[in-house]
Amino acid sequence: FMINFKANYINSSNILKRNINNKFEEKKASFVILDPLNETDLNVLKELSEEWEDGFDYFTKDIYNNAKEEYLKNDGFKKLETQFYALTTQKNNFESLKPWQILGLMQIYKFKDRPSFQIDYLQTKPDSCMFDQNRLYKKVGTAMLNSIKKHIPNKDIILKALDSAIEFYKTNGFEKFDSVNKYIYRIKK
């Protein structure tokens, strides 16, 4: 038999939401870990991959395909090295995530043999992207980074940044550490 879990609350993080006066005010968002072995969570990722796919450098489809691969190959007892997270405005009922309340997704890989993990993908909802001047939410990506740092403390974080995201990661404390590849960054703990 297969043990099946669902999205679980990890922690909360601050984001900024535009109010009716067109000013941004601080709000709490929930950082949750998704279970790719759960069909409900997998369906949420599938729906987001279809909704968010129209755009440049959107990784949602990759995140969904990787979660689906974990679902297909896992027997339910193996501990996953690849993990999937979401930042949502939802405050409860995480066993039934509402796709329209998800502001961002993240996929990480936890190394067995190193005190570090790698962010494979970090994707904010297209209308919350830092390049959209009319966005409803701000600081979504930063909130996700802060949440993962709290959730997995005392580990180096490694990532490969796109040109368009290098300044974002530098602002969030990442430093270049590979002199050959300009896209490899990390935060040392």
Side-chain angles (χ1 to χ4, degrees):
F1 93 105
M2 186 185 216
I3 297 174
N4 233 353
F5 299 99
K6 295 180 180 171
N8 285 312
Y9 175 83
I10 302 294
N11 58 44
S12 67
S13 200
N14 294 326
I15 56 172
L16 298 175
K17 182 179 181 185
R18 190 183 304 269
N19 64 24
I20 58 171
N21 299 319
N22 211 26
K23 303 276 189 231
F24 283 96
E25 58 188 22
E26 201 167 88
K27 296 285 182 184
K28 291 279 186 200
S30 302
F31 190 63
V32 298
I33 186 167
L34 302 172
D35 181 2
L37 305 183
N38 176 275
E39 287 187 31
T40 303
D41 288 0
L42 200 58
N43 285 332
V44 167
L45 289 174
K46 180 180 183 193
E47 188 172 327
L48 292 175
S49 76
E50 293 164 356
E51 279 182 28
W52 293 6
E53 74 178 318
D54 298 330
F56 178 71
D57 290 335
Y58 292 135
F59 301 122
T60 315
K61 193 166 286 298
D62 295 321
I63 293 169
Y64 164 66
N65 286 332
N66 292 338
K68 184 170 71 173
E69 187 177 306
E70 292 291 338
Y71 175 80
L72 294 173
K73 74 178 184 183
N74 198 292
D75 62 7
F77 296 100
K78 184 169 61 171
K79 189 170 180 172
L80 301 177
E81 283 123 20
T82 302
Q83 295 180 336
F84 304 88
Y85 298 88
L87 189 72
T88 179
T89 57
Q90 218 169 303
K91 303 291 184 223
N92 52 31
N93 298 324
F94 300 114
E95 67 279 355
S96 180
L97 284 177
K98 310 293 185 251
W100 60 90
Q101 290 186 279
I102 293 177
L103 302 176
L105 295 172
M106 179 186 287
Q107 176 184 316
I108 71 162
Y109 181 81
K110 290 171 101 176
F111 297 104
K112 290 181 190 175
D113 57 343
R114 294 189 254 177
S116 61
F117 66 92
Q118 176 174 305
I119 296 175
D120 294 324
Y121 299 106
L122 189 155
Q123 176 64 57
T124 60
K125 186 175 184 176
D127 65 6
S128 296
C129 178
M130 66 182 180
F131 303 113
D132 184 347
Q133 297 305 311
N134 298 317
R135 62 189 178 211
L136 181 59
Y137 294 97
K138 284 175 122 175
K139 301 290 184 187
V140 172
T142 297
M144 294 181 75
L145 289 175
N146 290 339
S147 289
I148 200 71
K149 289 183 226 175
K150 282 193 286 188
H151 178 56
I152 308 175
N154 305 318
K155 297 221 181 225
D156 287 355
I157 305 171
I158 300 166
L159 59 84
K160 200 175 197 179
L162 295 173
D163 280 335
S164 60
I166 289 173
E167 285 307 312
F168 164 76
Y169 287 113
K170 283 182 178 177
T171 301
N172 282 283
F174 285 79
E175 298 174 352
K176 188 173 127 174
F177 81 99
D178 183 334
S179 60
V180 177
N181 188 334
K182 69 176 183 173
Y183 302 108
I184 305 293
Y185 286 79
R186 77 171 168 199
I187 289 183
K188 287 191 74 120
K189 289 292 174 182

